Amino acid sequence: MRILRGLAAMLGVALIVAIVFYALGYLTIEYEPDDPRPKGTAYDLEALKRRDDVNVLFILTDTLRAHRLHSYGYERETSPTFDYMASTGIRFARHLAQSSWTKCSMASMWTGLYPQRTGILRSPHGAPEEAVMPAEIFRDAGFRTAGIWRNGWVAPNFGFGQGFEVYERPIPKPLPRNLRVENPHVKLEGTDTDVIDSAIEFLRIHGRERWFMYIHMMDVHQYLYDPSSALFGTDYSGIYDNSVRRSDGIMSRLLTYLADH
């Protein structure tokens, strides 16, 4: 598999990939696979800040449920790329979402505060300027910062662009004819391929510098899949799994680019 060979051959530069998922109504998951590796601690993560060879890629897949990933015990192999990253990196066994709503959940994720403390509870609410966002911390430490998103609830007018040198929704390309969108009521233009294309362009320009990049993927939210990922049937559950498999493949393209460059 190209991505496995490429990631193993990365040239001396460590990459932290934070792959985040949250789901409507699905608040917590605990799963302990047969993993021979020792359990890590918060101190192991804290020690990373003392390294000078680390870049950070933060991938968020909107409405992706942990219990639909093979690395969390799901019987279907929906997620070979996720599974590889989980087996070779840090996999968190317990997850707790602070909200079932994107804006509220993202505010908690970026600030480390509960929704009642962030004050982002309703549609008009936005992050205050005094909130300290991760991108601001990375920027002040000399990292190039980029955010590429497709969910309007994390738009800059809600305060989520703080600290990002680049914070953009990619220009949408027309949907390929072979794609199926099973949530037609979700009027979202383009696909996550647009996000990956934009991310690769940022890396083409700034990849030799230190960087922090956040990408927010939305195709699973739309139950979008194609013939190559249509592996699990056409009922509601199968279509969702097809979409997860397609997004997993799209993500592998970005990770392969990183490994090859």
Side-chain angles (χ1 to χ4, degrees), residues 182-250:
E182 299 296 339
N183 272 358
H185 64 283
V186 179
K187 303 298 183 182
L188 199 64
E189 295 181 332
T191 70
D192 286 340
T193 299
D194 304 327
V195 173
I196 299 303
D197 288 344
S198 298
I200 289 175
E201 181 63 14
F202 174 83
L203 292 171
R204 186 186 66 80
I205 299 170
H206 299 295
R208 297 296 179 184
E209 305 172 66
R210 298 195 71 187
W211 49 265
F212 164 65
M213 181 163 58
Y214 151 59
I215 65 173
H216 194 129
M217 301 173 66
M218 284 291 289
D219 283 353
V220 173
H221 195 298
Q222 295 182 274
Y223 288 58
L224 193 152
Y225 65 100
D226 56 25
S228 66
S229 63
L231 306 176
F232 306 110
T234 57
D235 61 359
Y236 187 79
S237 179
I239 289 170
Y240 180 86
D241 289 345
N242 293 341
S243 181
V244 173
R245 181 61 180 248
R246 179 178 179 276
S247 290
D248 184 271
I250 291 174

Side-chain angles (χ1 to χ4, degrees), residues 111-124:
T111 63
L113 300 174
Y114 288 112
Q116 290 81 1
R117 294 289 304 279
T118 67
I120 300 179
L121 302 171
R122 299 184 182 278
S123 297

Side-chain angles (χ1 to χ4, degrees), residues 11-16 43-56 90 138 141 143 210:
L11 301 176
V13 177
L15 172 68
I16 301 174
Y43 298 106
D44 297 322
L45 293 176
E46 192 271 342
L48 290 169
K49 75 178 184 180
R50 292 189 285 274
R51 296 179 58 168
D52 60 3
D53 61 344
V54 173
N55 294 317
V56 180
I90 301 169
F138 281 108
F143 287 67
R210 298 195 71 187

